[in-house]
Amino acid sequence: MAGQYAAYRLSMRVSKLEKIRLMLCITENELRCLCRPADEIISVLCANSRLKELDFLESCRKAMRDGDNFASAWKKSLSDRANVRYLGAEDVSALLSFGELFGVTDIDGQLANCRLHTELLDERLTQARKQKEKYSSLSCGLGAAVGAGLIIIFM
């Protein structure tokens, strides 16, 4: 059971990172084509059904509706561990870094911020996929072996 859960966590991390990459691409397109402000982009992202797994987006939108500025709402939403479940500390750190520069520069600066963090995320995603390939089958097999060992011990 523990092995399957470990494999599930690895799969979920890959899935979340893929969604975050999509989020960054949508954000870049919204900026490039429509020059939307941060609050409108967050609303667009929240409305996208493919990004529903990213709980921090809805949390950020709610905080902004309650009067927080984007930077404060973004940090607050990412500090809630339930919103970033399955992501590693470095993944969250990259998201925090993105939020620090988002909405505080001109369009060219924001587009550069999106591209930079997409590249950083691509590296994280490649690493996560390698970990998943390397450890998922090992985790499941190890869980089965431990279970069989416990049965033998208790017999």
Side-chain angles (χ1 to χ4, degrees):
M1 222 32 186
Q4 289 176 336
Y5 180 67
Y8 175 75
R9 287 184 57 86
L10 292 171
S11 294
M12 287 303 297
R13 179 171 179 240
V14 168
S15 175
K16 293 263 185 165
L17 290 173
E18 289 170 344
K19 304 283 186 204
I20 293 168
R21 187 182 192 295
L22 175 61
M23 175 199 78
L24 291 172
C25 291
I26 292 170
T27 300
E28 184 176 349
N29 287 336
E30 290 290 320
L31 286 167
R32 177 176 284 120
C33 299
L34 300 171
C35 300
R36 291 186 195 244
D39 60 331
E40 288 182 24
I41 291 175
I42 292 296
S43 292
V44 167
L45 295 172
C46 287
N48 189 314
S49 62
R50 295 177 292 175
L51 301 178
K52 291 293 181 197
E53 291 177 35
L54 302 180
D55 298 327
F56 60 87
L57 290 174
E58 185 60 38
S59 178
C60 180
R61 181 168 72 167
K62 286 179 183 175
M64 289 174 72
R65 282 185 181 164
D66 291 342
D68 289 348
N69 64 21
F70 172 78
S72 172
W74 187 255
K75 283 181 188 176
K76 191 183 297 183
S77 68
L78 291 171
S79 67
D80 183 353
R81 190 65 192 147
N83 289 338
V84 291
R85 188 176 301 131
Y86 307 116
L87 295 176
E90 291 180 10
D91 304 332
V92 175
S93 179
L95 285 169
L96 285 168
S97 171
F98 170 76
E100 288 174 1
L101 299 173
F102 186 70
V104 296
T105 62
D106 63 357
I107 293 294
D108 291 333
Q110 291 185 65
L111 292 172
N113 184 36
C114 288
R115 284 190 297 272
L116 169 68
H117 285 86
T118 299
E119 289 175 17
L120 289 173
L121 193 71
D122 284 342
E123 292 173 17
R124 309 280 317 138
L125 186 54
T126 299
Q127 176 197 32
R129 285 179 177 147
K130 285 179 182 176
Q131 277 186 320
K132 178 185 167 197
E133 288 174 17
K134 184 176 180 180
Y135 296 115
S136 283
S137 60
L138 178 64
S139 296
C140 291
L142 185 60
V146 169
L150 289 174
I151 289 173
I152 291 170
I153 290 172
F154 291 120
M155 288 178 89

